[in-house]
Amino acid sequence: MKKRVFLSATALVAMSLPSLSALAQSNTFKIGLILPMTGQQASTGRQVEAGVRLYMAQNGGTVAGKKIELIVKDDTSLPDVTKRLAQELVVNDKVNVLAGFGITPSALATAPIATQSKTPEVVMAAATSSITEASPYIVRTSFTLPQVSVALADWAPKNGITKVVTLVSDYGPGIDAEKYFKERLTFNGGRVIDSLRVPLRNPDFAPFLQKVRDENPDALFVFVPSGAGAAVMKQFLERGMGKAGIRLIATGDVTDDDQLNDMGNGALGVVTSHHYSAAHPSAMNKKFVAAFGAANKGMRPNFMAVGGYDGMHVIYEALKKTKGQGGGDALLAAMKGQIFESPRGPIYIDAQTRDIVQNVYLRKVEKVDGQLYNVEFDVIKDVKDPGKSKK
């Protein structure tokens, strides 16, 4: 088993390069979609896959003469499993593109395989700034935590919030969110009086929130991965922190569209910053939300779904541009610089960084037609990843 998992780089290249030649003759274009379909991040996998399948249903199963084959693998959010699955998809299944990746460690574990085999890796969910720097074959269609954290740090002091405690999950995206929020708030004249980090797996927020209450800041800034926001909201309300005058502000992961209605009226008024809301008022998004619900028993799409949907757009357009004949390098070149309208608004793939450039919205939880939504009230246009623009 170990031999199979830890193929050497040389063996991987030797086995994969002939496959690229063979692929040029094949009428099938294979996409290996690696996601957490079980475990703590299962909601991420469910949303991304649903977005991917909706795009395929709307745009056909054959592109540039190639039949699209989607191979879905469950990595349970364990990076060692992700790495093994990526190796198997490249070597055994001979995929043309690797895609998905629910969390940052999974995307990073695949990066060397993408580089060695020259296979484009389309990151549809993970959001640590540095991911695209781990391999020249990585393209991102999700977002970065610095993109959305800076926007909120600009908004806060203009709205009476100058003394803040930050609480983030203790891994790459959380550390990015904490760092960029603190730097920007301080620049704007505010203060972060404490920075708390909770474990990524099976976190107990209670002792951390009690500490926040004791410190009595103007607001608590939170980042937790998709699926964990409901627990934060529940415990924040149970401790009466809002009634004590402590405001909850967060990246949009906390008021995840997939879970927002289950949080109840206690979530009303929470301000977040993010790149996608199911309530985004464009005609394209309204069609997207309706089609997504119709295809998935009324499920509401969240930012993970739109990352998968747009990731498939990037792959389809690259395949069209290369007329179905391109290997990894040609596909990658065709992905760079793409500009298109997404359900989230206008986006493009920066040709230099291979990262996404997009609008970031400030939103407030409001009740619309009896349901809770993240209603946008301001927008910062064409935001590049601050993690790269500083270099």
Side-chain angles (χ1 to χ4, degrees):
M1 184 67 180
K2 277 192 171 181
K3 281 186 178 177
R4 196 176 184 193
V5 173
F6 298 105
L7 288 171
S8 70
T10 302
L12 179 60
V13 172
M15 295 180 74
S16 59
L17 288 180
S19 70
L20 294 177
S21 175
L23 284 168
Q25 307 302 320
S26 170
N27 285 325
T28 301
F29 186 90
K30 296 183 179 180
I31 302 168
L33 187 66
I34 306 176
L35 291 166
M37 303 305 295
T38 55
Q40 190 172 319
Q41 265 76 44
S43 65
T44 292
R46 185 177 71 247
Q47 286 273 347
V48 173
E49 184 187 6
V52 165
R53 292 196 183 280
L54 177 61
Y55 190 90
M56 293 177 68
Q58 292 178 336
N59 293 277
T62 300
V63 180
K66 301 284 186 180
K67 182 181 178 182
I68 305 297
E69 180 180 344
L70 184 69
I71 305 173
V72 181
K73 298 289 185 181
D74 177 12
D75 68 356
T76 68
S77 289
L78 294 176
D80 286 347
V81 176
T82 315
K83 183 177 181 180
R84 173 176 59 81
L85 292 172
Q87 287 173 329
E88 291 177 355
L89 284 165
V90 169
V91 175
N92 298 339
D93 295 295
K94 300 176 177 54
V95 297
N96 301 79
V97 173
L98 293 162
F101 311 104
I103 60 172
T104 293
S106 296
L108 294 177
T110 304
I113 298 167
T115 303
Q116 291 159 14
S117 64
K118 299 184 177 181
T119 304
E121 176 183 343
V122 179
V123 176
M124 298 172 166
T128 300
S129 172
S130 62
I131 286 175
T132 51
E133 297 169 322
S135 168
Y137 287 86
I138 292 179
V139 171
R140 174 155 39 200
T141 62
S142 52
F143 72 110
T144 76
L145 263 303
Q147 274 182 325
V148 296
S149 301
V150 166
L152 200 57
D154 283 337
W155 174 86
K158 297 174 185 174
N159 290 273
I161 296 172
T162 57
K163 188 173 72 169
V164 178
V165 173
T166 61
L167 185 149
V168 303
S169 295
D170 191 8
Y171 74 126
I175 294 167
D176 269 0
E178 175 190 283
K179 176 177 185 285
Y180 283 89
F181 179 85
K182 182 177 182 179
E183 283 184 358
R184 193 58 162 249
L185 185 73
T186 303
F187 175 80
N188 288 327
R191 286 187 301 138
V192 171
I193 61 172
D194 202 357
S195 297
L196 307 175
R197 297 178 182 178
V198 299
L200 175 62
R201 297 193 179 279
N202 304 312
D204 177 8
F205 297 107
F208 296 95
L209 291 176
Q210 185 58 52
K211 190 169 191 294
V212 175
R213 173 146 189 174
D214 294 343
E215 292 176 320
N216 194 33
D218 296 330
L220 171 65
F221 167 79
V222 178
F223 161 77
V224 292
S226 178
V232 174
M233 185 69 72
K234 181 174 183 289
Q235 296 188 28
F236 182 89
L237 296 172
E238 286 176 349
R239 277 160 182 74
M241 297 175 72
K243 292 178 181 175
I246 301 171
R247 298 179 68 178
L248 176 62
I249 59 175
T251 59
D253 317 73
V254 173
T255 56
D256 184 343
D257 275 299
D258 197 23
Q259 297 188 332
L260 186 53
N261 271 320
D262 295 333
M263 295 180 190
N265 290 341
L268 286 168
V270 172
V271 172
T272 58
S273 57
H274 226 211
H275 59 289
Y276 177 71
S277 166
H280 180 63
S282 71
M284 183 178 188
N285 186 53
K286 289 176 181 175
K287 290 181 181 176
F288 171 70
V289 172
F292 190 92
N296 297 283
K297 299 180 179 179
M299 191 164 75
R300 183 191 292 185
N302 71 0
F303 62 103
M304 294 299 183
V306 83
Y309 190 83
D310 290 341
M312 287 304 288
H313 180 101
V314 168
I315 295 169
Y316 267 46
E317 292 304 308
L319 186 53
K320 289 177 189 174
K321 191 171 182 179
T322 57
K323 303 185 188 309
Q325 301 301 312
D329 284 321
L331 286 169
L332 181 72
M335 291 177 181
K336 295 178 182 177
Q338 285 193 24
I339 302 173
F340 57 97
E341 183 74 14
S342 155
R344 69 183 100 175
I347 64 175
Y348 70 92
I349 304 299
D350 185 282
Q352 183 177 9
T353 65
R354 291 162 279 102
D355 220 334
I356 189 166
V357 180
Q358 58 191 327
N359 293 345
V360 172
Y361 306 91
L362 290 159
R363 314 98 52 85
K364 182 186 290 184
V365 177
E366 296 180 5
K367 187 165 280 188
V368 180
D369 296 331
Q371 295 192 45
L372 299 181
Y373 282 96
N374 294 295
V375 177
E376 298 164 0
F377 63 86
D378 201 359
V379 58
I380 302 95
K381 293 185 176 179
D382 301 330
V383 180
K384 292 186 176 183
D385 174 33
K388 299 182 181 65
S389 60
K390 290 177 68 175
K391 295 176 181 176

